[in-house]
Amino acid sequence: MTDHDAHAPDAGGIVVEGVARSFGSVQAVREMSFHALPGRVTGLIGPNGAGKTTLLLMLASLLAPEAGSIRIEGADPVHDPRAVRRAMGWMPDVLGTWRTLSPRVILTTVGRLHGIPRAAARARADELLVEARLEELADRPSRVLSRGQQQRLGLARALVHRPRVLLLDEPAAGLDPTSRVELRGLLRGFAAGGGTVLISSHDLSELDEMAEDAVFVDRGEVVGGERLVLARQAAREWRIRALDQGASGTSALNYQLANIGVAFDRVRIEGEIAYVALDRDEDAADVLGRLVRAGVAITHFAPAVGDIERTYLGLANGADPSGGAR
Ligand SMILES: Nc1ncnc2c1ncn2[C@@H]1O[C@H](COP(=O)(O)OP(=O)(O)O)[C@@H](O)[C@H]1O
Ligand SMILES: [Mg+2]
C-alpha cells in the first residue's frame, strides 16, 4: 500500500507527510501522512478531537504546521499559500457569518476576492446559484436558508474559482438523506472530472455513502497505515432474517441455508439473525432467490455493514482491509 508517487515532488492531489501541530500542551495533530489521489473522494474519518479540523486548516493554508510537509497539487501551503488557495476550495464546518448578505452577494464577493473581474464574478455567481438550486433565494439574506441550502451555498462558495482540490470539513453533518445523496452526486462528479476531494466526518456510516478511499485518524495520528482503498472487493456479510418460526426459527434458517448449498463456514448465527459471507452481489442475489424458492419467508436481507465500517472493523481485527479480508 505504499504510493511511491506520493514522494515525487509533482504528485497531484493532496500529499501529507509527517505533519504535526499542537496548541500549547495539546498535540492536536501528532503525525499524519497520507496521499489523497486525484479523481477520488477520500474520507478523513475519526472521532471528535482526532485532529481533522486542525489538519484541514493546515491543508487550506490557514494554519501553519510545526513539522512535516504538505503539497496541494504540488504547491506548499507554507511557502506558496497563494498557489494553494488558487488550487483548492475550502468548505469549513461552520460557514462564516455573512448571514445578512444574500447568496448572490456572497458568491460574487468571493469571486472578487479570488481576483475574478466584476462582470465575470457576477456571471459565475449566477451559474453557481443555478447549480446549487438557490435561484429563488438568491437575493434573500442567507440566514433564511435551511441547513441543506446553507451547505449547498457553502459548496458553491468553495467552487467559485474552479478549484481542482476540494476540502470539506464535516459537510454532511445534520443533512437530511436527500441532501446527502445530492452532496455525494456533486462530489463524485467533481472527482470524475479529475478533481481531488478530501471530506471529513466523525460518522462512519455517513462517509460510507460518500467516499471511495479512507484515511482513519485518532488522537492526532493516522491509524492502520496510510490511505486505504475501501474493502469493496472483499467478501461481505449479509444479514438475513426470516419470519419467526418459533423456537426453531433460526436453526431452520441455518438448515435452509445449508440446504440451498451455502457452505456452513460462511454462516454465522447470532440470535435470530443469520450472517452469510458472500463474495459478490450476484451471489447474494442468488442466495436470496434460492431461499425464496425454498419457501423461506425472508423479512430482511441486506449488507451487514457498509464498506467503510467493514474496512474499519478489518483494521481493528488486524486484517489487511484492501487485500481480500474475510
Ligand atoms: N485553537 C485551538 N486551541 C487549543 N486547542 C485546540 C484548538 N483547535 C483544536 N484544539 C484541540 O486539538 C484537538 C483536535 O481538535 P480538532 O482538530 O478540532 O479535532 P476534530 O476536528 O477531529 O474534532 C482537540 O483536543 C481540540 O480541543
Ligand atoms: Mg472538526
Side-chain angles (χ1 to χ4, degrees):
M1 184 86 56
T2 50
D3 291 323
H4 37 258
D5 64 327
H7 305 288
D10 61 348
I14 301 166
V15 183
V16 174
E17 276 182 359
V19 167
R21 168 76 202 210
S22 50
F23 298 101
S25 60
V26 180
Q27 283 187 291
V29 173
R30 289 167 197 274
E31 206 279 296
M32 289 192 190
S33 302
F34 64 89
H35 186 186
L37 299 177
R40 311 212 27 114
V41 178
T42 301
L44 181 67
I45 309 166
N48 289 324
K52 303 180 297 294
T53 298
T54 305
L55 176 74
L56 288 169
L57 287 169
M58 292 190 279
L59 300 183
S61 81
L62 300 170
L63 182 72
E66 287 163 349
S69 82
I70 297 167
R71 292 293 180 277
I72 307 290
E73 290 285 286
D76 178 345
V78 176
H79 296 112
D80 200 354
R82 288 166 61 93
V84 167
R85 287 175 199 189
R86 263 199 308 276
M88 114 13 256
W90 161 240
M91 184 169 156
D93 51 354
V94 277
L95 273 192
T97 46
W98 290 5
R99 296 171 60 79
T100 57
L101 301 182
S102 69
R104 190 190 308 281
V105 169
I106 290 173
L107 294 176
T108 312
T109 308
V110 168
R112 297 288 288 141
L113 290 173
H114 277 293
I116 303 174
R118 188 176 304 276
R122 284 210 189 109
R124 179 65 176 146
D126 287 345
E127 199 173 276
L128 286 166
L129 287 167
V130 175
E131 277 178 34
R133 292 190 290 101
L134 292 172
E135 301 138 281
E136 287 184 10
L137 295 157
D139 299 304
R140 304 284 305 279
S142 60
R143 65 166 178 272
V144 308
L145 270 51
S146 72
R147 172 89 184 143
Q149 290 163 340
Q150 291 204 18
Q151 293 298 77
R152 297 209 296 273
L153 175 60
L155 191 58
R157 201 175 73 163
L159 290 169
V160 165
H161 58 303
R162 302 180 193 281
R164 282 163 297 157
V165 172
L166 263 183
L167 305 174
L168 306 104
D169 198 5
E170 310 240 5
L175 281 192
D176 58 79
T178 314
S179 307
R180 287 222 300 260
V181 169
E182 207 173 74
L183 178 62
R184 172 179 65 189
L186 282 164
L187 299 183
R188 289 274 168 89
F190 183 85
T196 308
V197 181
L198 185 64
I199 169 178
S200 80
S201 179
H202 63 274
D203 183 338
L204 285 175
S205 60
E206 181 181 284
L207 269 193
D208 212 1
E209 301 170 2
M210 307 267 173
E212 301 157 290
D213 294 340
V215 175
F216 295 99
V217 290
D218 192 15
R219 278 165 258 167
E221 289 176 320
V222 175
V223 288
E226 46 177 64
R227 184 179 64 89
L228 298 167
V229 177
L230 294 178
R232 293 219 152 93
Q233 300 82 3
R236 74 155 70 198
E237 278 198 327
W238 290 73
R239 187 192 284 122
I240 306 175
R241 209 186 305 217
L243 208 57
D244 188 16
Q245 293 156 341
S248 64
T250 43
S251 55
L253 184 53
N254 200 3
Y255 170 78
Q256 292 290 4
L257 284 164
N259 225 13
I260 61 163
V262 176
F264 74 92
D265 64 348
R266 298 234 148 196
V267 182
R268 183 165 71 79
I269 300 286
E270 250 178 48
E272 299 180 350
I273 301 165
Y275 292 89
V276 181
L278 297 166
D279 293 324
R280 301 170 312 145
D281 287 357
E282 288 81 353
D283 298 336
D286 183 52
V287 166
L288 178 59
R290 284 166 190 260
L291 284 173
V292 170
R293 282 194 296 278
V296 182
I298 301 295
T299 57
H300 180 92
F301 195 106
V305 292
D307 293 314
I308 287 194
E309 204 174 333
R310 208 148 55 91
T311 307
Y312 189 75
L313 295 174
L315 265 184
N317 295 332
D320 174 2
S322 65
R326 287 284 134 100

